[in-house]
Amino acid sequence: MSLYVYVEPDDERRHRWTAEFQSIGGTMLKDMTELEAYLSRYPENMLVVIGAQVDLDEALMFTAYQRLQRPLIGVVLIRPTVEPDVVLRCLQSGIREIVAEDDEEELRAATVRSVDLSKALSTTLRGSAEQAPYARVVTVFAGKGGCGRSVVAVNLAVALAGGGRRVLLVDLDLQFGDVAMMMKLSPERSIAGGLAMAGRLDEAGLRSIVTAWRNGLDTLLAPASPAEGEQVRREFVVELLDVARPLYDFIVVDTPAVVTDQVLAALDMSDWYVPIVTPDLPTLKTVRLTSEMFDLLDYPRDKRLLVFNRSNTLVGLSHAEVELAVGMPFAVLAPSSRDVPVSVNQGEPIVMTDPLHPFSRAMRQLADRCTGVQTVIEEPRRGMFGLRKKKVS
Ligand SMILES: Nc1ncnc2c1ncn2[C@@H]1O[C@H](COP(=O)(O)OP(=O)(O)OP(=O)(O)O)[C@@H](O)[C@H]1O
Ligand SMILES: [Mg+2]
């Protein structure tokens, strides 16, 4: 892993810079696709140098997106020449430094300035994050079994955990929870371990029952035996979430097919509601009923992020018809692919193992919506990071 990358499509120039860049612990990449894959694996990166041959619009779009997602990354852009109108557009998108291709001394100086700034920002950001995290709760649900709730909850949690955020994934499918299996975790610790602390759970108590995964992602697993799950009261769910909130940036909740009392407790505390719908009539009907129930409960409509799972397997219904049947617009379209069950069987979330996969892109878009970054809904493979390629003016 390195904290600095340089994307240089020009073979001759890339070879010439490799030794110097590697000597500061940097990594050379060939194009923006490699960069996308690289950053999803190493979100703590601080410097991205972009070579002169990379399309300007692509570089600007990348930077504008990263500015919100990963503000620590500084982008240094190399151009054949530095023109005033280009400088203006670069500043608007958040590029830190623009350097002319033949000015190698300036390139070195610009990268040093940018890294210094990232380090300073990192201290400030970490400081403020330590002062006041207060997790936003995201509950994934559907009125039917097998829609993909657990796959979405797991991959959403992994996607949210990028960029230094702390995330807790709670498996509230207390009878048949799948999170442990999908993340290859052994369920030695579970929610059941907290039952004896009900009514007086504190931070240390919570920490003693969570199972850490990777990348700042913790899980609170379902009990190994369904009988223990029955003992979890609604009040205990509220207590768990209350204690966890100051410790995490996001809490993602996976739920069973039926809206139990425990699920209602989580829904009541949610900032985002993520219903999953698949293209079959019974599921559409249950999601519509759930949506009507939400209206009665006064859960805000603009906080519902509808995931259309297996969206490419539409049988006789158009997207518009599905939206109409459900009574709300889609937030993301997640395609069906056999790579999804393969990842489930391997216990490796696909967002981690194949970040460029269309399903992974959909999950990152969903994460973006939860973090407040607005992306345009894509048909697959349109441009960098699933963003629609558009002119930045
Ligand atoms: N987009 C997809 N493409 C292909 N397979 C999928 C997709 N989404 C989910 N699946 C598969 O469907 C099955 C059910 O998914 P998952 O367990 O996430 O659903 P669930 O709603 O949590 O189900 P349960 O009711 O069992 O809790 C899994 O085998 C999963 O791999
Ligand atoms: Mg499930």
Side-chain angles (χ1 to χ4, degrees):
M1 186 205 63
S2 80
L3 295 177
Y4 318 131
V5 287
Y6 180 176
V7 181
E8 184 50 80
D10 183 293
D11 289 338
E12 193 269 323
R13 197 174 155 101
R14 191 172 61 255
H15 290 133
R16 195 152 45 78
W17 276 87
T18 297
E20 176 169 346
F21 208 64
Q22 284 177 348
S23 73
I24 57 161
T27 299
M28 295 296 290
L29 301 174
K30 218 166 48 201
D31 54 36
M32 297 298 273
T33 311
E34 280 191 12
L35 176 64
E36 183 180 358
Y38 185 88
L39 288 182
S40 18
R41 297 188 86 98
Y42 304 114
E44 50 286 272
N45 192 288
M46 281 191 179
L47 171 72
V48 175
V49 180
I50 299 182
Q53 283 184 7
V54 173
D55 177 65
L56 179 62
D57 285 333
E58 199 171 0
L60 296 182
M61 193 168 55
F62 164 81
T63 310
Y65 180 81
Q66 294 300 335
R67 176 150 80 167
L68 297 167
Q69 268 297 73
R70 303 184 180 122
L72 290 187
I73 294 181
V75 178
V76 173
L77 183 65
I78 305 173
R79 290 290 96 185
T81 54
V82 178
E83 309 289 343
D85 61 325
V86 173
V87 173
L88 183 63
R89 290 177 63 197
C90 289
L91 289 176
Q92 283 166 344
S93 77
I95 282 179
R96 286 210 192 133
E97 306 266 355
I98 311 155
V99 182
E101 199 172 13
D102 54 5
D103 196 346
E104 304 202 337
E105 270 323 297
E106 180 54 18
L107 176 58
R108 292 187 184 95
T111 55
V112 171
R113 283 195 297 269
S114 178
V115 169
D116 282 349
L117 179 57
S118 293
K119 286 181 179 161
L121 276 174
S122 137
T123 321
T124 323
L125 287 179
R126 205 177 308 120
S128 58
E130 268 159 21
Q131 275 159 25
Y134 189 72
R136 277 168 278 176
V137 177
V138 185
T139 303
V140 181
F141 63 94
K144 289 260 300 161
C147 297
R149 284 184 313 272
S150 302
V151 167
V152 170
V154 163
N155 283 285
L156 172 63
V158 174
L160 280 170
R165 283 183 291 262
R166 282 162 293 176
V167 176
L168 178 67
L169 172 59
V170 181
D171 193 348
L172 269 194
D173 190 349
L174 298 165
Q175 311 289 315
F176 306 107
D178 285 330
V179 168
M181 186 250 323
M182 289 186 178
M183 306 188 87
K184 230 186 332 191
L185 291 168
S186 109
E188 280 148 30
R189 302 159 158 215
S190 79
I191 294 179
L195 284 170
M197 298 181 265
R200 50 183 182 83
L201 185 76
D202 58 9
E203 185 184 328
L206 179 70
R207 290 199 193 281
S208 74
I209 56 172
V210 303
T211 308
W213 189 70
R214 289 170 234 170
N215 278 4
L217 174 55
D218 286 342
T219 60
L220 194 44
L221 299 174
S225 91
E228 285 175 317
E230 279 172 19
Q231 297 170 36
V232 177
R233 302 268 154 268
R234 178 191 174 109
E235 296 73 29
F236 187 54
V237 175
V238 174
E239 190 179 4
L240 281 171
L241 296 180
D242 271 341
V243 175
R245 270 191 139 156
L247 309 176
Y248 295 94
D249 299 299
F250 280 93
I251 300 175
V252 178
V253 183
D254 186 18
T255 59
V258 275
V259 180
T260 57
D261 233 17
Q262 299 113 338
V263 173
L264 274 175
L267 285 171
D268 264 348
M269 295 175 77
S270 291
D271 299 276
W272 293 107
Y273 312 92
V274 179
I276 314 276
V277 64
T278 46
D280 56 282
L281 283 175
T283 320
L284 296 181
K285 199 178 113 204
T286 54
V287 171
R288 165 143 216 139
L289 292 175
T290 319
S291 167
E292 287 167 5
M293 178 183 93
F294 277 24
D295 288 341
L296 291 175
L297 292 169
D298 269 342
Y299 293 160
R301 283 183 165 235
D302 60 350
K303 295 294 179 188
R304 303 177 199 174
L305 300 174
L306 178 63
V307 174
F308 189 15
N309 192 19
R310 302 176 185 270
S311 56
N312 53 340
T313 53
L314 222 47
V315 269
L317 293 169
S318 70
H319 283 185
E321 282 168 332
V322 176
E323 285 183 325
L324 201 66
V326 176
M328 61 182 127
F330 300 131
V332 294
L333 308 175
S336 179
S337 159
R338 67 177 289 279
D339 300 329
V340 174
V342 168
S343 74
V344 165
N345 292 343
Q346 289 173 342
E348 292 280 351
I350 189 164
V351 160
M352 192 76 186
T353 52
D354 190 355
L356 300 184
H357 194 284
F359 186 86
S360 308
R361 287 169 184 259
M363 293 302 105
R364 283 212 305 279
Q365 276 184 343
L366 183 61
D368 288 345
R369 292 292 301 270
C370 297
T371 55
V373 180
Q374 288 285 342
T375 47
V376 182
I377 299 216
E378 61 173 13
E379 274 117 45
R381 303 240 162 214
R382 212 175 258 174
M384 277 289 293
F385 292 85
L387 285 165
R388 191 196 300 252
K389 202 168 171 184
K390 61 178 181 207
K391 280 254 181 268
V392 182
S393 54

